[in-house]
Amino acid sequence: VEHAGGPLLIQGGPGTGKTTVLAERFLHLARHGAPPESLLVLCFSTTAADSLRAHLEDRLEGAYEALAVTTFHGFCARLLRDEALEAGIDPFTTPVTAADRLAMLLERIDDLPLRHHDLRGNPSATLGAIVQRIDRLKDELVAAGDYAAWASALPEERAREREFAELYGAHERMLADAGSLDVGDLVLHSFRLLRTRPHVRHRLAERQQRVLVDELQDASFAQGLLLRLLAAG
């Protein structure tokens, strides 16, 4: 890809070679002076990241121990581990899956405010939908405190929505008690870290000098804003 510099967007339908262009762009940069370890590549699944990393390592014909080819969540997990002190979190915190969080809610179901949510017949389905909704809110950078502030102004007839705000808060307290984060938290904490700590952005920009993203159209709102911060340096 011949490109003088600055942002470059490749558009095309499925199977038209967008990932191939991204890989060739990476190789072009690596062969013209950019250290391969300084090129950050973000993919949308672990399988895609592993496949692309193996392809690049094979094409580079060299031993590179730390090619930064990963998922958004993998990148955020590493950033928070490396900058745990700045982020104010435990560096040994382990992200938990949606299934783990559903099990957590089921185990403590008697502690949850569920007056206006129907659990008859299938509590797992109701609580699973709550977990999914929390994930969507975090994809929009809406934290539990933000949602609670909005819900507190709702009229009494919106009691179910106000109750969901309580459930969101309970979910977050349970995660905190367990010393865990979910995948939405990884992006939320990373976004806040880069937005409020310019020196961390500067350190990251020195280490990862270019950012390449596969399947950009699938990025969530939160991931898109995180990318803006990543590229700002």
Side-chain angles (χ1 to χ4, degrees), residues 10 32 44 82 105 130 152 161 173 176-177 190 200 232:
I10 303 297
H32 290 79
F44 280 83
D82 291 346
L105 293 178
I130 288 169
S152 66
E161 206 64 36
R173 287 191 296 275
D177 290 345
S190 296
V200 174

Side-chain angles (χ1 to χ4, degrees), residues 41 136 147 201 221:
V41 183
R136 290 195 298 272
Y147 200 84
R201 286 204 309 273
F221 176 73

Side-chain angles (χ1 to χ4, degrees), residues 53-133:
R53 187 187 311 105
H55 172 73
L56 293 172
E57 288 172 345
D58 183 59
R59 291 284 302 278
L60 285 169
E61 300 177 351
Y64 297 98
E65 295 182 358
L67 286 189
V69 183
T70 184
T71 62
F72 269 97
H73 296 135
F75 164 76
C76 291
R78 178 182 172 183
L79 174 64
L80 294 174
R81 185 170 61 249
D82 291 346
E83 302 286 353
L85 185 61
E86 295 283 357
I89 65 171
D90 184 341
F92 301 105
T93 297
T94 303
V96 293
T97 66
D100 293 330
R101 291 150 57 210
L102 174 58
M104 175 186 73
L105 293 178
L106 285 168
E107 184 178 347
R108 298 177 59 180
I109 193 169
D110 292 337
D111 299 330
L112 298 175
L114 290 166
R115 300 174 301 279
H116 301 285
H117 285 75
D118 187 4
L119 295 179
R120 289 175 296 180
N122 194 351
S124 294
T126 299
L127 294 178
I130 288 169
V131 168
Q132 290 177 351
R133 191 175 179 195

Side-chain angles (χ1 to χ4, degrees), residues 79 83 86 193-194 197-205:
L79 174 64
E83 302 286 353
E86 295 283 357
L193 174 65
L194 295 181
R197 300 287 194 275
H199 57 285
V200 174
R201 286 204 309 273
H202 179 70
R203 271 203 299 266
L204 185 61

Side-chain angles (χ1 to χ4, degrees), residues 1-228:
V1 179
E2 294 298 331
H3 181 56
L8 175 65
L9 176 66
I10 303 297
Q11 293 181 305
T16 55
K18 298 186 297 297
T19 302
T20 299
V21 171
L22 183 145
E24 293 300 322
R25 172 71 170 159
F26 183 103
L27 294 167
H28 176 83
L29 292 168
R31 288 165 178 164
H32 290 79
E37 298 86 350
S38 74
L39 306 174
L40 173 62
V41 183
L42 297 174
C43 302
F44 280 83
S45 74
T46 302
T47 300
D50 290 345
S51 175
L52 183 55
R53 187 187 311 105
H55 172 73
L56 293 172
E57 288 172 345
D58 183 59
R59 291 284 302 278
L60 285 169
E61 300 177 351
Y64 297 98
E65 295 182 358
L67 286 189
V69 183
T70 184
T71 62
F72 269 97
H73 296 135
F75 164 76
C76 291
R78 178 182 172 183
L79 174 64
L80 294 174
R81 185 170 61 249
D82 291 346
E83 302 286 353
L85 185 61
E86 295 283 357
I89 65 171
D90 184 341
F92 301 105
T93 297
T94 303
V96 293
T97 66
D100 293 330
R101 291 150 57 210
L102 174 58
M104 175 186 73
L105 293 178
L106 285 168
E107 184 178 347
R108 298 177 59 180
I109 193 169
D110 292 337
D111 299 330
L112 298 175
L114 290 166
R115 300 174 301 279
H116 301 285
H117 285 75
D118 187 4
L119 295 179
R120 289 175 296 180
N122 194 351
S124 294
T126 299
L127 294 178
I130 288 169
V131 168
Q132 290 177 351
R133 191 175 179 195
I134 289 171
D135 287 342
R136 290 195 298 272
L137 285 167
K138 289 185 178 182
D139 280 344
E140 299 292 324
L141 291 178
V142 180
D146 302 323
Y147 200 84
W150 174 77
S152 66
L154 294 175
E156 288 300 323
E157 56 266 26
R158 300 289 300 278
R160 193 171 186 274
E161 206 64 36
R162 294 158 70 99
E163 183 174 277
F164 174 79
E166 295 180 51
L167 288 166
Y168 191 177
H171 172 276
E172 298 301 279
R173 287 191 296 275
M174 289 180 188
L175 282 181
D177 290 345
S180 300
L181 298 173
D182 60 32
V183 291
D185 289 327
L186 296 177
V187 180
L188 264 173
H189 284 287
S190 296
F191 172 77
R192 288 172 179 164
L193 174 65
L194 295 181
R195 184 183 61 181
T196 60
R197 300 287 194 275
H199 57 285
V200 174
R201 286 204 309 273
H202 179 70
R203 271 203 299 266
L204 185 61
E206 287 186 329
R207 186 168 69 244
Q208 311 283 193
Q209 297 173 9
R210 288 182 173 86
V211 184
L212 298 95
V213 186
D214 199 21
E215 305 295 350
L216 177 65
Q217 72 279 358
D218 292 331
S220 68
F221 176 73
Q223 290 167 344
L225 291 184
L226 180 67
L227 274 175
R228 288 176 181 268

